[in-house]
Amino acid sequence: MPSNSLSPFISPFILLIEDNKSDIDLVKNNLAQSGVLRNHLSACQSIKQAIFFLREYPEFSTILLSTTVSDGNGIVGLQKLIAEFPNKIIIVLAEKEHQDLGVSCIKAGAQDFLLKELLEVSSIYPNIRFAVERTQQFQASLSEKTNKVKLNSQQLYQDIFNNSKDAIYICNLEGRLVDFNQATFELFAFSEEELLEIEVHDLFHTKEKKREFLYALVASGSVTEFPIGIEQKNGKSRQCLISAKMINTPEFTGYSGVIRDITEQQKANDLRKARDIARQSAKMKEQFIANISHEMRTPMNAIWGMSNLVMQTKLSAEQRNYVSTIQQSSELLLGVVNDILTISEIQNSQLKFDYKFFDLYELLHNLLNVIQFKAGEKSLQLLLQIKEGVPRIVHGDKQRLNQILYNLALNGIKFTEKGGITIDIENLNESNDFVQLKFTVKDTGIGIPSDKIDAIFETFTLIREEGVDHEGKGLGLPIAKNLVEQQGGKIGVKSEVGKGSEFYFDLLFEIGEEVFPEPIQAKSAATLDKGAIRILLVEDHKMNQLVAIKSLEKYWPTTAIEITVANDGREAINILAEKDFDIILMDIQMPNMNGYEATAHIRHKMPPKKAEIPILAMTAHAHVAKNEKFRDHGMDDCILKPFEPKELFKKITEYTFKYKVLA
Ligand code: ADP
């Protein structure tokens, strides 16, 4: 190596930040194939986790950052990382449809951006290398402008020849080698001396392919990227592309050739194809599950809502008992549908987390209130212990934490007949602004046999005691495990048959000091004092119309509200054109004109005051509520069917108050 050339490239420690499992596998595989050592490579699934990791392991100098991680969507993650680690080399991985995002990332300080769809063994590593070298060069030229790189061209060609990853050689038409580089004997897996003894064309296969190649070369003087197999000394074969040019001088007839090994690239292509097929079928499955859950939620709306109404009428003790069973069963069914939706999200790597500051103590006390009732039915004790040092305001996904604790606590109640359930929270570790909390849910129930304990977190595991038939579906624990692990935590269990079980998990949180604003107090209808609330209910399903009307009338005296029903979107806009209303409750799927179309018409084609009327979407599609799709269509809010009467009343008062009184 001449002393004035660049120092050889040493593979950096690379941290991949990505929350899609199949993309993690693809990138890891590609990097490993292109020679990055496994211990030089690590992956985190969120920005929060990555920041924690990088503080611990500063030697990870290069970051591959996906633009879709949940707590760093778009450019947000990049900005967070640059703020904390200004000297790291960050390469952004963008989706094809978000190409523009890649450009803004570069403007914001990323060193490069790659399109996920185009990641290949042959491109990913050189790109990292270019980014790293570019940065190093830039830094070097800034500090001292002395190290100017000058290579004479002879030396340059020699270096390219020596260091090329492609086999470069010159041979005669029989295949006897005259000159070749290191990559040549590495490709054929022969020693340098052995190679000189043989005719390399004997290692080309198939024989027909070899003949075809030589004919083409002699006939036209050159060949470009001709596909051919190379059989190595050890019997293994490599898939290659060969490019060659004839040499015809008075002293020598032969050709110069370049062979590129594309075996790994081919493997990566196959992997990518498999990934695309898997994605496609996951999408279909997800659609199917979403449809089924919709089909189940709609009739459940009627069952649950109607039994709610019946419970509020005069009933004999016997009737009350029957109706309460109907109510509990429909609640249970709703729980099953929700669990199936979560499992399908997990299996499609589509779990998204919604990180916000929240009051942990409030969450725990609310949880206790909810499960108190179930524990009371079996006369079990419930105990909540928040140890000293556990912060009150933390940054995390509140709903998911609640879901995990609820599953564990409910299992505790389900499998315990005597004694009680204790929920413990303690502080495991604290550093600057982060805290690692340990949650333990302990019961004094039947316990879990030691030979079953390993399988307990797998989907659909049920352990049945002889003669005892516990209700269950084996989804609760796998959901809890995924929710914990995908947020970077660990979950485990200790148990003894007949004595009880102890489930525990830990999670990392940022500590917050946010002051929470008081939620806007919805004024009750009575205090509005501006006449009755005029509601336009747009719903095609007769049973759902009845549930909504009866629930509303139960809550408000008929003098305080005035409900008009429209059977579809078209009827709704005709009625609205004739008469004033204070709020619209709008179903989405309807014949003639659906809820989105009707909303668009109201927002864009009606006079100003009418165009601003609050519109609440009513849907049984959980995902519509979750991704707030209804907002794109101009709706203000959403009520999920079967609706919680309290939530519906609260939203109606809140929106009509703003519209009638504040406007
Ligand atoms: P489900 O509760 O719906 O059956 P889970 O995945 O939550 O599904 O639990 C799977 C199985 O693990 C349960 O059916 C039960 O046999 C066992 N199990 C879970 N929690 C406990 C517990 N606290 N005590 C005893 N067994 C338990």
Side-chain angles (χ1 to χ4, degrees):
M1 251 308 139
S3 60
N4 59 350
S5 79
L6 285 170
S7 56
F9 186 73
I10 299 163
S11 160
F13 282 87
I14 301 171
L15 176 65
L16 169 65
I17 309 176
E18 166 67 86
D19 58 3
N20 183 317
K21 277 212 173 110
S22 50
D23 284 340
I24 294 180
D25 291 345
L26 188 71
V27 174
K28 276 192 166 173
N29 189 291
N30 281 351
L31 283 173
Q33 303 285 13
S34 46
V36 174
L37 300 175
R38 286 222 178 254
N39 66 353
H40 278 219
L41 194 63
S42 222
C44 285
Q45 296 186 6
S46 69
I47 300 292
K48 194 156 90 178
Q49 220 186 334
I51 290 181
F52 210 65
F53 178 90
L54 290 167
R55 284 183 189 164
E56 196 78 1
Y57 303 101
E59 65 272 27
F60 280 74
S61 59
T62 302
I63 299 169
L64 289 179
L65 170 65
S66 160
T67 54
T68 54
V69 284
S70 55
D71 63 342
N73 217 329
I75 204 164
V76 178
L78 176 68
Q79 287 169 332
K80 283 188 190 168
L81 287 172
I82 291 181
E84 171 113 16
F85 309 104
N87 293 325
K88 303 259 183 229
I89 293 166
I90 305 179
I91 300 169
V92 171
L93 300 179
E95 309 264 344
K96 205 171 178 180
E97 63 267 30
H98 298 143
Q99 275 206 37
D100 299 348
L101 195 63
V103 179
S104 357
C105 286
I106 301 283
K107 285 185 186 156
Q111 266 71 24
D112 206 344
F113 89 92
L114 304 177
L115 287 185
K116 272 190 198 172
E117 277 74 8
L118 303 180
L119 287 186
E120 288 180 354
V121 177
S122 60
S123 70
I124 185 165
Y125 194 59
N127 273 303
I128 293 174
R129 185 176 171 159
F130 291 150
V132 172
E133 285 184 342
R134 216 171 35 227
T135 312
Q136 283 170 349
Q137 268 183 21
F138 180 65
Q139 284 164 352
S141 72
L142 268 187
S143 56
E144 299 165 40
K145 289 194 172 171
T146 52
N147 269 347
K148 286 206 169 163
V149 182
K150 279 186 196 155
L151 289 171
N152 70 45
S153 58
Q154 180 62 37
Q155 186 62 52
L156 189 65
Y157 288 129
Q158 193 60 45
D159 278 355
I160 292 171
F161 182 76
N162 290 340
N163 298 329
S164 165
K165 280 190 94 176
D166 294 338
I168 306 177
Y169 63 96
I170 296 172
C171 69
N172 67 15
L173 288 178
E174 281 75 54
R176 286 260 171 214
L177 290 168
V178 178
D179 195 7
F180 53 91
N181 67 352
Q182 165 126 0
T184 309
F185 58 87
E186 280 174 3
L187 172 66
F188 288 99
F190 278 91
S191 73
E192 205 171 341
E193 292 73 29
E194 286 170 332
L195 259 195
L196 287 168
E197 294 299 312
I198 58 170
E199 291 176 356
V200 286
H201 291 165
D202 289 343
L203 304 174
F204 287 13
H205 78 120
T206 58
K207 280 205 170 74
E208 289 71 35
K209 276 262 172 202
K210 173 182 109 176
R211 227 174 285 134
E212 211 182 304
F213 160 69
L214 288 170
Y215 280 146
L217 177 63
V218 175
S220 57
S222 69
V223 169
T224 318
E225 303 207 324
F226 185 90
I228 202 155
I230 295 288
E231 210 161 296
Q232 296 181 314
K233 187 182 174 187
N234 54 22
K236 288 189 183 152
S237 75
R238 313 288 300 173
Q239 287 165 276
C240 297
L241 295 177
I242 179 166
S243 299
K245 196 167 175 13
M246 277 298 287
I247 303 172
N248 255 322
T249 61
E251 304 85 41
F252 179 73
T253 304
Y255 71 95
S256 62
V258 178
I259 306 181
R260 169 160 296 184
D261 184 345
I262 54 161
T263 316
E264 306 306 340
Q265 199 175 329
Q266 211 78 339
K267 267 191 207 157
N269 279 344
D270 294 347
L271 214 73
R272 190 172 320 103
K273 268 187 211 144
R275 180 192 68 174
D276 290 346
I277 292 171
R279 273 186 182 169
Q280 176 82 10
S281 58
K283 228 180 212 159
M284 280 165 62
K285 198 168 90 185
E286 186 197 335
Q287 189 58 43
F288 173 73
I289 288 174
N291 288 344
I292 288 280
S293 91
H294 177 250
E295 295 302 319
M296 287 171 83
R297 273 165 188 273
T298 307
M300 260 157 54
N301 177 28
I303 300 174
W304 193 73
M306 282 304 207
S307 57
N308 235 346
L309 290 172
V310 178
M311 280 299 261
Q312 288 167 38
T313 62
K314 237 184 164 172
L315 294 177
S316 72
E318 193 185 4
Q319 286 168 328
R320 189 161 289 279
N321 194 7
Y322 294 154
V323 180
S324 137
T325 309
I326 297 179
Q327 226 176 358
Q328 281 177 26
S329 306
S330 59
E331 260 175 46
L332 208 74
L333 205 58
L334 191 59
V336 177
V337 174
N338 286 340
D339 277 355
I340 292 175
L341 271 174
T342 311
I343 277 287
S344 120
E345 284 176 349
I346 289 171
Q347 289 177 346
N348 296 332
S349 313
Q350 281 195 335
L351 261 192
K352 288 274 176 235
F353 294 95
D354 182 16
Y355 293 111
K356 289 194 184 96
F357 284 104
F358 69 93
D359 187 331
L360 176 63
Y361 291 18
E362 186 187 295
L363 177 143
L364 292 166
H365 285 113
N366 282 346
L367 175 77
L368 216 65
N369 277 339
V370 175
I371 56 177
Q372 193 96 51
F373 175 71
K374 303 229 184 254
E377 282 176 345
K378 296 172 89 175
S379 306
L380 298 174
Q381 291 250 336
L382 258 189
L383 192 63
L384 170 67
Q385 291 179 331
I386 305 177
K387 299 266 166 70
E388 223 186 294
V390 174
R392 187 179 189 115
I393 307 296
V394 292
H395 193 254
D397 190 325
K398 181 179 164 183
Q399 299 301 348
R400 300 299 196 184
L401 175 62
N402 195 53
Q403 200 175 356
I404 301 165
L405 284 169
Y406 182 76
N407 272 339
L408 297 183
L410 221 58
N411 273 348
I413 296 173
K414 203 152 69 178
F415 298 105
T416 304
E417 297 308 322
K418 236 178 33 217
I421 288 89
T422 317
I423 304 176
D424 262 347
I425 297 93
E426 63 180 308
N427 197 336
L428 278 188
N429 263 310
E430 200 173 324
S431 91
N432 296 337
D433 29 355
F434 287 97
V435 62
Q436 188 187 21
L437 295 179
K438 179 176 176 185
F439 299 80
T440 310
V441 180
K442 203 160 37 174
D443 66 54
T444 54
I446 56 173
I448 301 161
S450 53
D451 60 328
K452 298 279 167 43
I453 212 151
D454 288 338
I456 202 101
F457 289 107
E458 282 163 25
T459 323
F460 309 126
T461 302
L462 298 177
I463 300 158
R464 293 192 192 285
E465 300 281 303
E466 197 112 334
V468 185
D469 195 11
H470 290 291
E471 60 185 35
K473 51 210 176 301
L475 290 177
L477 291 178
I479 287 177
K481 178 177 156 80
N482 274 284
L483 292 178
V484 169
E485 288 182 352
Q486 294 202 22
Q487 296 187 82
K490 283 199 188 70
I491 189 166
V493 56
K494 285 186 235 159
S495 186
E496 203 174 321
V497 173
K499 292 221 163 133
S501 313
E502 187 178 324
F503 285 84
Y504 49 87
F505 63 93
D506 63 85
L507 280 177
L508 193 66
F509 295 95
E510 198 178 321
I511 304 171
E513 288 163 20
E514 304 273 293
V515 182
F516 284 83
E518 281 290 304
I520 305 164
Q521 283 295 315
K523 296 252 176 175
S524 84
T527 62
L528 277 173
D529 206 23
K530 290 240 174 182
I533 299 182
R534 293 158 302 176
I535 300 171
L536 178 58
L537 174 68
V538 193
E539 164 72 81
D540 63 315
H541 201 285
K542 289 275 177 263
M543 193 63 102
N544 287 346
Q545 286 176 2
L546 201 63
V547 171
I549 294 172
K550 292 285 175 201
S551 304
L552 289 166
E553 286 179 353
K554 199 101 213 166
Y555 188 76
W556 280 310
T558 35
T559 48
I561 49 165
E562 205 183 288
I563 306 172
T564 307
V565 176
N567 290 301
D568 59 46
R570 187 166 307 284
E571 205 176 310
I573 55 177
N574 290 339
I575 296 176
L576 183 61
E578 297 296 318
K579 199 168 164 250
D580 288 335
F581 287 92
D582 303 312
I583 192 159
I584 300 178
L585 306 182
M586 180 84 83
D587 187 22
I588 294 179
Q589 280 181 1
M590 285 180 294
N592 298 329
M593 182 187 263
N594 69 30
Y596 289 148
E597 292 161 350
T599 305
H601 183 95
I602 296 167
R603 294 285 185 243
H604 303 299
K605 303 228 165 95
M606 290 214 155
K609 182 71 185 168
K610 283 200 178 168
E612 284 157 25
I613 187 167
I615 302 179
L616 305 188
M618 298 210 296
T619 176
H621 271 300
H623 68 92
V624 172
K626 215 179 207 168
N627 60 22
E628 305 215 328
K629 190 173 158 206
F630 58 88
R631 286 198 203 284
D632 301 341
H633 293 272
M635 293 166 149
D636 296 275
D637 212 327
C638 175
I639 309 270
L640 198 59
K641 291 192 280 192
F643 56 77
E644 271 290 338
K646 261 199 202 140
E647 193 204 3
L648 179 62
F649 307 139
K650 188 168 168 283
K651 288 196 171 163
I652 289 178
T653 36
E654 209 173 308
Y655 282 98
T656 49
F657 179 70
K658 280 188 212 155
Y659 183 63
K660 281 179 81 158
V661 183
L662 300 181

